């Protein structure tokens, strides 16, 4: 007796439907993966901006607190204008400006009663210059420290990816400096819908001007 074999398989329509469903699932999976990767990249950029802002504030705190160092206690030195506020590195002769994006700091680190020396660096010295300017470079988005005792002013970058920097005397005493900075996430354009900036404001009391 002749046996019949069942050789029926998937129809072309069934195969097409299965392939379409699989393509849809794979497409959704890749879309979700891409979104996850983008979110991770954004969050890492913002976390890096926060770390950068905290670092910038810490570094500025170290520098500003050294202003007014006067190891000999000389009264002439005490009468210096240890802190001056300016705009774009320009300071008024009267020294009456109380806010700006630049800060001029003087000290007498070596006790010679003159703010014109760069002392040798050691483990106890954070700032080695007795005459420095802190300012914001808006073009390169950097905070710069300029050593005014060097010919032409030696410039040292303190922090990158800073879109704004401002200094303010909160009470007119020249004993405190309020610092406000805005850090930006690296690699994310300002036109991006997810673009966010990190803003920090702190008040720094000069160690030597209590």
């Amino acid at each position: 007796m002749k046996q019949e074999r069942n050789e029926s398989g998937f129809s072309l329509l069934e195969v097409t439907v299965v392939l379409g469903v699989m393509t849809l699932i794979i497409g959704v999976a890749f879309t979700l993966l891409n979104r996850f990767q983008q979110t991770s990249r954004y969050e890492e950029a913002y976390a890096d901006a926060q770390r950068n802002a905290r670092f910038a504030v810490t570094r500025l705190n170290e520098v500003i607190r050294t202003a007014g160092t006067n190891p000999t206690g000389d009264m002439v030195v005490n009468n210096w204008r240890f802190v001056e506020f300016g705009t774009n590195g320009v300071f008024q002769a009267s020294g009456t400006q109380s806010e700006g994006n630049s800060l001029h700091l003087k000290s007498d680190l070596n006790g010679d009663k003159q703010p014109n020396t760069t002392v040798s660096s050691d483990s106890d010295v954070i700032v080695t210059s007795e005459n420095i300017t802190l300012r914001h470079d808006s073009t390169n988005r950097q905070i710069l420290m300029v050593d005014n005792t060097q010919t032409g002013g030696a410039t040292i970058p303190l922090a990158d990816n800073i879109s704004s920097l401002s200094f303010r005397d909160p009470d007119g005493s020249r004993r405190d400096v309020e610092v406000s900075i805005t850090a930006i996430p690296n690699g994310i354009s300002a036109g991006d819908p997810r673009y966010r900036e990190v803003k920090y404001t702190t008040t720094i009391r000069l160690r030597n001007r209590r």
Side-chain angles (χ1 to χ4, degrees), residues 5-11:
R5 291 183 300 175
N6 186 2
E7 296 181 351
S8 62
F10 294 109
S11 68

Side-chain angles (χ1 to χ4, degrees), residues 3-186:
Q3 295 181 342
E4 294 183 0
R5 291 183 300 175
N6 186 2
E7 296 181 351
S8 62
F10 294 109
S11 68
L12 179 61
L13 178 61
E14 290 173 328
V15 172
T16 302
V17 170
V18 170
L19 289 176
V21 171
M22 290 182 62
T23 301
L24 178 62
I25 293 173
I26 293 173
V28 170
F30 273 106
T31 299
L32 292 175
L33 177 61
N34 184 54
R35 289 182 179 176
F36 174 79
Q37 290 176 331
Q38 286 184 343
T39 300
S40 177
R41 181 173 66 86
Y42 281 115
E43 293 306 318
E44 179 58 31
Y46 297 135
D48 185 63
Q50 290 177 334
R51 289 191 293 268
N52 187 45
R54 288 194 295 268
F55 169 79
V57 168
T58 299
R59 194 69 181 97
L60 289 172
N61 181 74
E62 294 172 345
V63 174
I64 293 171
R65 277 174 57 82
T66 64
T69 298
N70 180 15
T72 64
D74 185 81
M75 294 305 297
V76 173
V77 174
N78 277 332
N79 290 326
W80 290 351
R81 290 203 303 261
F82 290 102
V83 177
E84 293 182 272
F85 298 83
T87 303
N88 298 327
V90 178
F91 301 89
Q92 296 179 355
S94 61
T96 58
Q97 190 168 336
S98 60
E99 61 182 310
N101 64 0
S102 304
L103 198 64
H104 188 196
L105 307 174
K106 290 183 181 180
S107 298
D108 181 24
L109 300 175
N110 61 359
D112 68 352
K113 304 176 185 179
Q114 296 293 327
N116 54 14
T117 305
T118 299
V119 302
S120 299
S121 176
D122 58 45
S123 59
D124 297 323
V125 177
I126 297 173
V127 179
T128 60
S129 174
E130 296 180 332
N131 188 328
I132 64 173
T133 298
L134 297 172
R135 65 180 181 87
H136 182 242
D137 179 356
S138 59
T139 301
N140 297 308
R141 295 179 173 180
Q142 291 180 316
I143 298 176
L144 303 177
M145 181 172 70
V146 182
D147 182 354
N148 298 314
T149 67
Q150 302 292 316
T151 302
T155 302
I156 303 169
L158 294 184
D160 297 317
N161 294 323
I162 303 296
S163 64
S164 71
L165 169 69
S166 65
F167 302 102
R168 188 175 73 90
D169 185 353
D171 59 8
S173 67
R174 292 298 198 268
R175 290 185 172 89
D176 300 287
V177 177
E178 183 183 276
V179 179
S180 298
I181 69 170
T182 302
I184 58 175
N186 188 29

